[in-house]
Amino acid sequence: MNAVLKTTYREAVRAALREALLRDERVFLMGEDVGRYGGCFAVSLGLLEEFGPERIRDTPLSESAFVGAGIGAAMNGMRPIVEIMTVNFSLLALDQILNNAATLLHMSGGQVPVPLVVRMTTGAGRQLAAQHSHSLEGWYAHIPGLRILAPATLEDARGMLWTALQDPDPVLIFEHGSLYNVAGELPADTGAVGIDRAAVRRAGGDVSLITYGGTLAKALDAAGELSGDGIEAEVIDLRSLRPLDDATVIDSVRRTHRAVVVDEGWRSGSLSAEITTRIVEQAFYDLDAPIERVCTAEVPIPYARHLEEAAIPQVADIVDAVHRVVGAGG
Amino acid sequence: MTHTRDPVGEHRRELLRQMLRIRRFEEKCAELYSAAEIRGFLHLYIGEEAVAVGALQALTEEDNVVSTYREHGHALARGVPASSIMAEMYGRATGCSRGRGGSMHLFDVGRRFYGGNAIVAGGLPIALGLALADRLRGDRRVTACFFGDGAAAEGEFHECLNLAALWRLPVLFSCENNLYAMGTALAVEHKETDLAVRAATYEIPSWPVDGMDVVAVEEAARHAAEAVREGGGPHFLELRTYRFRAHSMYDPDRYRDKAEIEAWKRHDPIDGLARRENVTRDELELIEKEVAAEISEAIEFAEAAPLEPVADLTRFVHSERTGAG
Ligand SMILES: Cc1ncc(C[n+]2csc(CCOP(=O)(O)OP(=O)(O)O)c2C)c(N)n1
Ligand SMILES: [Mg+2]
């Protein structure tokens, strides 16, 4: 029997960072307060003491400069991991991410690959209001040239980073802020995981619940509740938001004939719209009911707890949506 | 009871009262945070009160204020009622931002208080625009823009100083240099740690001020604000101060020496002023009583305040037009 390790999502990310720093001397971590402070969510706590200030680099509040510097260092043989505190602040570096990281390889006719990894938190649920709570990973998933990952489990928090570092192109990793304290067990010999395929986190034959990141746990809770009502939901964790693993999604929908997409992003012009469209494009005749989406209300995330709760997808919303699609059609 | 009026002494007692209001209000906020009445991020201004109180003396009601996520002090000193600030932190409908903003996003446009902005340096461009509009209309307003030492590393800071200088915009840049940006010390953020010197490279008159001395801050701010108002273009004050508490309630404050914090506490702006002005124990007690009453009223108001109905969740995403069209 394999030994197991009690850990948290936060510790799993930290272990992944440690492993990368130990295994590859080209790897370094930089971002605001990653060193002395230990990371704004305490992810990199202790790494400065272990690896020193050259490899655990505290940066000034200069998102555009240090993300861009990460791009340049990646172009020049290093394997930087850049941490941005929160996706809302990544907008100050959006120019570098889109106009340089995602674009240089193509624009240079294949001469300039950018093997950069950027990690950042995303998502709502902690009453941090509109400038700290948005889920903009869907925007980034719009951009050709980027790979977008959303680790929702301890295993992925631990295993995606190393695989991302092997990618010759830029990878953005979105860690939902509500996940850091999630505790659980991992095999002691846990390590790198694949990043190409979505995962079926719960099998079921009545409806496909398609989600990722911070809403995976809610979808699983909803599936548990629905099971009590005699509805077996299959829960798919997308894991990679770009490229999307259509095959896993379509295969599931072909079996369940019904789909609900759950996304903490806004609905209009969104990732959930993209997933829905792909199902319609590839499995239209397999559907027995219109697809439903459970998304965040079209509003900047408000501070007040009751308003924030009402704004973002909740278990009850998912359960209701499933009842609608199961009740509908043939 | 003395009948000789001493306007200077009276004014300074008022400054003391203002600083104490902020101090006691925030101490209460910290308690309420521990009691889970206030949530989200809460950034306390304790130790820096002389900056907001002193600087805002220089403004009239017609002037504009732009602030950061550490803005309770600015809001209180600007005259935003403690009750509406507290209700905001409780997430209530009668909060100054109707519960949408919380601690980091206090707004009161009636008092030309244009908010708590939680994107570091995000307020500077807005301040430029407020000032530009005033200039275009010929309004002789000053826009005071508060931000931290950390903000001076952002591109927006440099873009804004250049543009404000280039267009001679009536902005009073008020840099609160508390020596840290979260856990990152000034010398780890900046090569040139003399921030007034950096502002001067944009040909903006700028100078450092003892931000622990409310009288010095007021004097500097009055001088700068008058120059701005008279068409002298933007001015920059580097207000040297220190936060006695951690960055936010989440911050275990591992990166500062206890001795450093204690040394700064010996320059407490409130104690300092009380000592220099020979404020008696009785006088202080009177002020404390008054302040305590205001704060308990604010809490009562917040606790009794209604919640915004969930049906109104998506209000204010777009403006509500009245009448036809
Ligand atoms: C663009 C951006 N990057 C990072 C953050 C996270 N953050 C919030 S406050 C802060 C430190 C800011 O320091 P400073 O400007 O000196 O203000 P102080 O908190 O000391 O008042 C950081 C890094 C943010 N809010 N916005
Ligand atoms: Mg600071």
Side-chain angles (χ1 to χ4, degrees):
Chain A
M1 215 191 82
N2 222 331
V4 294
L5 188 73
K6 277 197 176 12
T7 189
T8 61
Y9 188 96
R10 173 183 290 107
E11 288 165 2
V13 178
R14 187 185 305 144
L17 289 166
R18 267 199 85 228
E19 182 194 18
L21 287 154
L22 288 169
R23 279 175 76 174
D24 186 342
E25 62 186 20
R26 299 171 303 169
V27 170
F28 64 97
L29 175 69
M30 72 176 154
E32 291 157 10
D33 287 308
V34 296
R36 281 240 33 214
Y37 192 92
C40 59
F41 295 101
V43 167
S44 51
L45 199 63
L47 296 183
L48 173 68
E49 290 71 18
E50 186 173 356
F51 297 99
E54 284 292 315
R55 297 185 74 199
I56 307 295
R57 304 188 74 86
D58 276 322
T59 65
L61 276 133
S62 310
E63 287 81 4
S64 184
F66 69 75
V67 171
I71 295 169
M75 287 161 56
N76 193 15
M78 301 301 281
R79 288 291 180 276
I81 301 170
V82 174
E83 176 178 309
I84 301 175
M85 288 183 167
T86 293
V87 65
N88 282 75
F89 316 154
S90 78
L91 302 185
L92 281 78
L94 184 55
D95 166 57
Q96 288 297 325
I97 296 172
L98 170 57
N99 286 322
N100 280 338
T103 303
L104 283 168
L105 181 67
H106 180 84
M107 204 164 63
S108 67
Q111 297 178 78
V112 184
V114 180
L116 168 74
V117 172
V118 181
R119 299 173 37 243
M120 62 185 102
T121 52
T122 185
R126 293 162 294 147
Q127 285 192 260
L128 301 182
Q131 292 181 336
H132 282 74
S133 302
H134 290 147
S135 289
L136 304 180
E137 54 275 11
W139 279 16
Y140 285 105
H142 181 63
I143 301 174
L146 300 181
R147 188 191 268 274
I148 308 297
L149 303 178
T153 64
L154 296 181
E155 191 193 13
D156 282 349
R158 176 67 182 81
M160 279 183 165
L161 181 70
W162 181 255
T163 316
L165 283 165
Q166 309 315 303
D167 199 293
D169 298 318
V171 181
L172 271 49
I173 302 179
F174 288 87
E175 298 161 8
H176 195 285
S178 67
L179 293 174
Y180 289 115
N181 290 329
V182 170
E185 290 182 346
L186 278 177
D189 64 352
T190 190
V193 296
I195 56 174
D196 295 325
R197 304 300 304 268
V200 176
R201 299 291 184 199
R202 182 188 194 279
D206 297 326
V207 59
S208 302
L209 277 179
I210 301 148
T211 189
Y212 67 91
T215 41
L216 174 63
K218 290 177 179 175
L220 287 167
D221 285 352
E225 240 179 72
L226 288 160
S227 186
D229 303 336
I231 298 169
E232 293 306 328
E234 180 145 298
V235 178
I236 295 176
D237 172 6
L238 289 169
R239 300 180 69 246
S240 169
L241 309 183
R242 183 183 188 97
L244 280 167
D245 173 14
D246 293 3
T248 300
V249 173
I250 300 300
D251 173 67
S252 174
V253 173
R254 290 223 161 97
R255 284 183 284 102
T256 62
H257 310 289
R258 291 173 163 86
V260 173
V261 183
V262 184
D263 180 8
E264 215 181 277
W266 292 300
R267 177 188 301 261
S268 302
S270 67
L271 189 66
S272 68
E274 179 62 29
I275 295 160
T276 304
T277 304
R278 291 192 189 200
I279 296 170
V280 170
E281 286 169 343
Q282 298 172 50
F284 182 76
Y285 295 107
D286 293 291
L287 288 171
D288 282 346
I291 300 167
E292 284 259 355
R293 285 189 280 162
V294 181
C295 299
T296 286
E298 308 251 333
V299 60
I301 304 287
Y303 162 74
R305 186 211 305 265
H306 69 297
L307 295 181
E308 184 183 45
E309 281 174 358
I312 63 180
Q314 302 296 349
V315 174
D317 305 323
I318 304 171
V319 169
D320 289 349
V322 168
H323 278 300
R324 281 194 299 274
V325 299
V326 171
Chain B
M1 184 86 197
T2 161
H3 292 280
T4 43
R5 258 181 54 89
D6 166 18
V8 173
E10 274 173 29
H11 176 66
R12 291 188 178 170
R13 273 161 181 71
E14 174 57 17
L15 298 180
L16 182 71
R17 197 183 70 82
Q18 290 292 341
M19 291 195 291
L20 256 176
R21 275 177 83 220
I22 298 172
R23 175 73 54 94
R24 299 293 178 247
F25 181 88
E26 288 206 315
E27 286 168 350
K28 206 60 182 180
C29 289
E31 273 175 44
L32 292 165
Y33 195 90
S34 304
E37 295 287 357
I38 298 175
R39 295 282 78 191
F41 283 149
L42 180 72
H43 306 88
L44 301 179
Y45 197 60
I46 291 175
E48 306 187 29
E49 296 91 343
V51 173
V53 171
L56 289 175
Q57 296 301 312
L59 300 196
T60 72
E61 285 180 1
E62 283 302 301
D63 293 327
N64 307 312
V65 181
V66 175
S67 185
T68 67
Y69 47 86
R70 195 184 300 288
E71 88 282 34
H72 310 150
H74 307 122
L76 284 166
R78 183 61 184 174
V80 183
S83 54
S84 82
I85 299 174
M86 192 58 87
E88 185 57 32
M89 294 205 242
Y90 270 66
R92 302 300 165 105
T94 48
C96 58
S97 306
R98 301 188 70 135
R100 304 309 201 280
S103 160
M104 297 192 285
H105 306 296
L106 306 173
F107 285 81
D108 188 342
V109 169
R111 291 180 175 82
R112 308 195 77 83
F113 189 77
Y114 288 96
N117 198 310
I119 302 300
V120 170
L124 279 83
I126 294 174
L128 259 58
L130 291 167
L132 176 61
D134 287 334
R135 248 273 303 282
L136 290 171
R137 275 195 308 262
D139 291 341
R140 281 160 52 87
R141 288 195 181 106
V142 173
T143 297
C145 179
F146 293 92
F147 53 90
D149 47 289
E154 291 284 8
E156 282 179 328
F157 170 89
H158 297 277
E159 294 177 21
C160 287
L161 262 58
N162 179 53
L163 195 55
L166 196 64
W167 291 353
R168 287 180 78 77
L169 296 175
V171 180
L172 177 57
F173 291 106
S174 306
C175 178
E176 303 181 314
N177 180 1
N178 61 10
L179 300 176
Y180 290 87
M182 227 167 118
T184 303
L186 190 66
V188 181
E189 306 174 80
H190 299 289
K191 181 62 186 163
E192 173 56 85
T193 53
D194 194 332
L195 301 177
V197 165
R198 292 176 64 194
T201 66
Y202 293 97
E203 297 194 4
I204 295 177
S206 58
W207 63 96
V209 183
D210 178 359
M212 304 307 265
D213 177 354
V214 68
V215 173
V217 174
E218 177 180 356
E219 194 184 292
R222 281 192 189 281
H223 181 79
E226 272 334 289
V228 172
R229 205 184 301 283
E230 295 310 314
H235 279 55
F236 185 105
L237 299 178
E238 182 197 337
L239 303 147
R240 296 189 172 163
T241 182
Y242 197 80
R243 61 171 159 74
F244 293 169
R245 301 287 183 104
H247 171 75
S248 74
M249 301 302 282
Y250 277 65
D251 173 12
D253 208 345
R254 295 190 196 88
Y255 48 86
R256 298 194 300 184
D257 251 5
K258 294 275 169 300
E260 179 186 293
I261 300 171
E262 289 313 311
W264 275 95
K265 281 186 177 169
R266 287 197 285 279
H267 300 283
D268 188 313
I270 296 173
D271 296 350
L273 184 66
R275 214 178 323 108
R276 285 195 302 278
E277 293 300 311
N278 297 315
V279 178
T280 64
R281 203 178 264 278
D282 287 351
E283 278 182 287
L284 255 183
E285 237 165 63
L286 212 67
I287 300 177
E288 289 276 15
K289 249 200 205 132
E290 217 183 286
V291 166
E294 183 188 3
I295 293 169
S296 8
E297 266 171 44
I299 294 170
E300 274 168 38
F301 176 82
E303 283 176 350
L307 291 174
E308 191 83 334
V310 170
D312 288 350
L313 172 65
T314 56
R315 276 188 77 185
F316 315 121
V317 178
H318 297 283
S319 293
E320 289 165 10
R321 289 161 207 272
T322 47

